[in-house]
Structure formats: structure tokens, C-alpha cells
Amino acid sequence: RKEVEQDPGPFNVPEGATVAFNCTYSNSASQSFFWYRQDCRKEPKLLMSVYSSGNEDGRFTAQLNRASQYISLLIRDSKLSDSATYLCVVNKNGNQFYFGTGTSLTVIP
Amino acid sequence: DARVTQTPRHKVTEMGQEVTMRCQPILGHNTVFWYRQTMMQGLELLAYFRNRAPLDDSGMPKDRFSAEMPDATLATLKIQPSEPRDSAVYFCASGSGDFNSPLHFGNGTRLTVT
């Protein structure tokens, strides 16, 4: 079983739409959680950390459900520039980072 | 703005040649990771170091790949001999080692082996 599983998509949504991605993780000892964004032919870049109480950064909201072992990312009012691959990342003890395979998002004009 | 620096950005080489990729982690970071990414695969962990010591290189083909950290400011990944199936983007990432701190990635080395 993979440490982190994501729906690869693709998600094709119109501008202005709200879209949500989920990610499940298998190890209950996982300690910290992140969402990264990767543009085509570029490196992954940190989008946001995910905190137990949930957190928001502008149009982006991340949530963690430890009981069910999943994290989510909600994007409101999608922009063309949000088109990218979104990677879910789970960390144990600062050394072991587990990456999902990514969810592809295309925002359509 | 601190960043991870990787060289070269692009490398085209012939099968059988040695390839060396270099990474300068963010100053003060004590964990360094090497990942490989192809179109068909996600990020594949090759090796990682903590305080310059290799902690896990189980993802690396041992017969041709080697990873080292000669000092705290330099990590290297070598392939000898290279093969066409090694063609991929190789990313280096560094972290502070704290459990709640994310990884920071370099721009990657795009390797093509013909």
C-alpha cells in the first residue's frame, strides 16, 4: 500500500469554480502535512502547510482529518494561473517525506 | 531569498558516460534529498542525508548510482555508466530536519542520455 494516495485527475474546471482535492495517507504516525504545487517542467514549490485546525491562505484552504487520515485542499474562485499539478506530502520525524503522485488541475477560460 | 542551487540545469550525454550532478543546500539545512522524476512516475526518492551522513539510499540503483556529501554545502549524485533509462529530471531538496518544516527544492537537472 502506498504511503500517500491521490486522485491523479485531471480536473478541468472553468475559471471562477471551486475545486477540491483529497489525499489519504496510510501511516497514523505521520506528523506534518503539506501541499506543494508543481508547474510543468519546474520544481515542486511549497503551497502551504496543513495544520490540525485547518488553515487558509487567500483562496486556498487546507484541512487535516487525522481520524480518517486524509488531507484536503480547496481552491475557491479558480484562476487560469492555478493550472498546475498539486502534490500532497506527508512527513514523519523530519526525515521521511512521502509524496503523492499529484493531481493535475487545468482551469479553463 | 535562500534557495537550493543545482548544477547543471541541463545535461545531454551519451550512454556509458559519467554524469555528475551537484547541489548546494540552503545554508543551515541539515537534511538533503535526491529525487528523480519522469513523465511516467511521480517523485522517486533516491537518497537522503542528515548531517552529511547517508540515511537511506535504498531507492538508488547501487551498481551505477552514488551519492555523497563531501561537505555541508555540497551534495553530489553520480551515475556511471549512464543509460538511456536514466533520462529524467533530478531534483535536490533540503530541509531543516524539524518535523514540521517543509522541503525546499532546487530547479532540477534535466538529464538526457542518448
Side-chain angles (χ1 to χ4, degrees):
Chain A
R1 186 181 172 190
K2 288 185 181 177
E3 292 278 348
V4 179
E5 302 226 36
Q6 283 184 259
D7 179 350
F11 285 68
N12 299 315
V13 302
E15 265 186 295
T18 296
V19 61
F21 309 135
N22 288 328
C23 164
T24 58
Y25 60 96
S26 60
N27 194 321
S28 60
S30 300
Q31 294 175 294
S32 55
F33 309 88
F34 309 93
W35 282 101
Y36 279 70
R37 170 195 170 125
Q38 187 173 24
D39 292 285
C40 187
R41 302 173 76 84
K42 297 284 185 71
E43 75 276 19
K45 291 185 179 177
L46 178 68
L47 178 66
M48 57 198 302
S49 301
V50 187
Y51 303 121
S52 297
S53 54
N55 48 300
E56 192 173 297
D57 182 1
R59 298 181 293 108
F60 299 83
T61 301
Q63 296 207 310
L64 167 65
N65 185 318
R66 284 191 184 271
S68 301
Q69 295 183 201
Y70 78 80
I71 66 174
S72 64
L73 177 68
L74 183 79
I75 306 176
R76 290 182 300 278
D77 188 23
S78 301
K79 311 289 185 193
L80 297 178
S81 58
D82 294 333
S83 298
T85 296
Y86 291 83
L87 300 165
C88 164
V89 183
V90 169
N91 181 3
K92 274 193 330 184
N93 67 32
N95 291 331
Q96 294 167 294
F97 287 83
Y98 298 98
F99 283 77
T101 51
T103 298
S104 173
L105 171 67
T106 301
V107 181
I108 303 162
Chain B
D1 199 16
R3 54 192 308 166
V4 176
T5 303
Q6 285 187 250
T7 57
R9 292 292 305 275
H10 302 274
K11 176 72 176 179
V12 180
T13 191
E14 292 183 346
M15 186 173 70
Q17 296 298 305
E18 178 179 300
V19 175
T20 299
M21 291 169 269
R22 294 178 174 81
C23 168
Q24 181 176 6
I26 291 174
L27 189 65
H29 280 186
N30 64 356
T31 58
V32 174
F33 298 74
W34 283 104
Y35 289 92
R36 175 169 64 183
Q37 188 175 43
T38 62
M39 289 294 290
M40 305 305 295
Q41 303 270 352
L43 280 167
E44 178 188 7
L45 178 65
L46 297 175
Y48 76 89
F49 296 77
R50 186 179 183 96
N51 295 324
R52 295 176 55 203
L55 291 192
D56 184 358
D57 60 1
S58 58
M60 214 161 58
K62 299 292 190 304
D63 56 337
R64 298 184 301 107
F65 285 60
S66 62
E68 295 179 344
M69 277 201 75
D71 62 61
T73 65
L74 177 64
T76 62
L77 180 66
K78 290 187 182 179
I79 309 175
Q80 169 62 26
S82 57
E83 297 181 0
R85 60 180 166 151
D86 300 330
S87 298
V89 181
Y90 291 80
F91 289 109
C92 174
S94 71
S96 67
D98 297 329
F99 76 90
N100 60 352
S101 295
L103 288 183
H104 299 267
F105 283 79
N107 291 337
T109 293
R110 186 171 299 276
L111 174 65
T112 303
V113 183
T114 60

